[in-house]
Amino acid sequence: MLLSNAISLIRLLFVKDKELYVFIHRVTGYYPRDISLYQLAMIHRSKPVKLDNGRWANNERLEYLGDAVLDTVVADFLYRSFPDKHEGFLTSTRAKIVQRESLNRIGNTLHLDTHMHALTHSSSHNSYICGNALEALVGAVYLDQGYRRCRKFIINKLVKKHFDLNDLVKTEQNFKSRLIEWTQKYRVAIEYELIDTYADADKNPVFSTAVILGGIYASDADGYSKKESHQAASKKALERLESDPEFRAQVLSTAAL
């Protein structure tokens, strides 16, 4: 261990981005092997960099990879932690952990923004930069350290440190799961229809999704991902079912016998 730490400290003398090198060790518990992966994880698409081969790069590919690894690790962790819980509970609890708001909160707590390479005027999407960067960081750790170390980082440094599992079990925030459970209970058909896609002022993609209950329009909402728009539209639909008795009766009248 001492030899390993000494070697890492020697590397530190030669690495270009010393601050990032130390920062990654503090956040993950591991000294980077390939610092360029972590440099790439901190590059937002609003300010890409040109590589030596002439290609422009940002953290979106690492974000995609990190998102998949997060889903797998959290699903496995919950499966082992709650052996008596059903699939719906596991799905709902995982969604609370990996949802954009949760990841962004953790990213802000870790101060990922202090190392981000982004245009400061990209304000409309700024609230998601740290969450996206956290996913990219997970992707970088996975490529740099391997699955076992990445799994340890996610569970110990992200999940256990930033979430109280007992509180997660008690707090229902997955509006889509709640709405689907409601429709299953009352045998009402449910559809999510993508009604529009467009770009905001900073050229970020925005998705508009409508919820259809029993063939009846319930609500629609926008989001910076399809998943986000589904959640927002589901929340509106649940609120309408609760506040509008006439609408609720119309939807229930479509229930299958």
Side-chain angles (χ1 to χ4, degrees), residues 110-146:
L110 296 176
H111 302 294
L112 295 183
D113 57 308
T114 61
H115 291 274
M116 285 301 300
H117 190 75
L119 291 177
T120 56
H121 71 259
S122 185
S123 57
S124 66
H125 204 51
N126 268 347
S127 59
Y128 299 99
I129 285 181
C130 283
N132 295 341
L134 181 60
E135 288 182 330
L137 175 61
V138 170
V141 173
Y142 171 73
L143 293 176
D144 188 50
Q145 302 288 337

Side-chain angles (χ1 to χ4, degrees), residues 49-57:
V49 297
K50 195 171 186 179
L51 303 179
D52 292 339
N53 60 12
R55 291 177 52 236
W56 290 90

Side-chain angles (χ1 to χ4, degrees), residues 6-225:
I7 293 174
S8 296
L9 289 173
I10 291 172
R11 288 176 181 166
L12 180 58
L13 298 176
F14 298 97
V15 72
K16 291 182 178 179
D17 198 337
K18 295 180 182 179
E19 288 187 8
L20 181 60
Y21 192 90
V22 173
F23 175 76
I24 294 302
H25 177 259
R26 179 173 64 80
V27 169
T28 68
Y30 305 123
Y31 285 108
R33 294 170 177 167
D34 183 356
I35 192 65
S36 66
L37 287 169
Y38 302 95
Q39 291 170 329
L40 184 61
M42 297 297 112
I43 298 173
H44 187 251
R45 68 169 174 264
S46 65
K47 197 174 182 182
V49 297
K50 195 171 186 179
L51 303 179
D52 292 339
N53 60 12
R55 291 177 52 236
W56 290 90
N58 57 48
N59 66 2
E60 286 186 312
R61 282 172 54 84
L62 282 175
E63 179 187 335
Y64 157 80
L65 180 60
D67 176 64
V69 175
L70 264 172
D71 272 354
T72 300
V73 170
V74 173
D76 177 69
F77 173 70
L78 294 175
Y79 181 87
R80 298 174 189 276
S81 299
F82 300 99
D84 299 323
K85 294 295 186 179
H86 56 77
E87 180 270 343
F89 166 85
L90 298 175
T91 299
S92 175
T93 305
R94 179 183 61 180
K96 296 171 192 175
I97 294 174
V98 302
Q99 67 181 340
R100 187 65 54 197
E101 291 78 6
S102 297
L103 298 181
N104 194 68
R105 173 177 59 82
I106 298 173
N108 280 315
T109 300
L110 296 176
H111 302 294
L112 295 183
D113 57 308
T114 61
H115 291 274
M116 285 301 300
H117 190 75
L119 291 177
T120 56
H121 71 259
S122 185
S123 57
S124 66
H125 204 51
N126 268 347
S127 59
Y128 299 99
I129 285 181
C130 283
N132 295 341
L134 181 60
E135 288 182 330
L137 175 61
V138 170
V141 173
Y142 171 73
L143 293 176
D144 188 50
Q145 302 288 337
Y147 177 78
R148 292 182 65 181
R149 282 193 164 191
C150 186
R151 181 180 186 275
K152 186 176 180 180
F153 160 61
I154 292 171
I155 294 174
N156 294 335
K157 299 288 188 177
L158 301 183
V159 178
K160 290 184 177 180
K161 189 171 182 178
H162 295 278
F163 295 96
D164 184 321
L165 289 182
N166 291 325
D167 286 345
L168 281 177
V169 171
K170 296 175 185 176
T171 306
E172 179 57 71
Q173 295 179 347
N174 190 335
F175 300 106
K176 183 175 181 180
S177 290
R178 285 175 56 190
L179 183 59
I180 290 175
E181 288 173 6
W182 186 91
T183 60
Q184 291 175 341
K185 178 179 179 180
Y186 294 104
R187 298 183 180 181
V188 171
I190 181 172
E191 297 177 72
Y192 287 87
E193 181 180 338
L194 182 64
I195 56 177
D196 191 20
T197 57
Y198 62 93
D200 67 9
D202 296 312
K203 298 183 180 180
N204 299 303
V206 180
F207 302 87
S208 296
T209 297
V211 177
I212 313 297
L213 299 177
I216 301 171
Y217 166 84
S219 62
D220 64 79
D222 296 347
Y224 283 107
S225 68

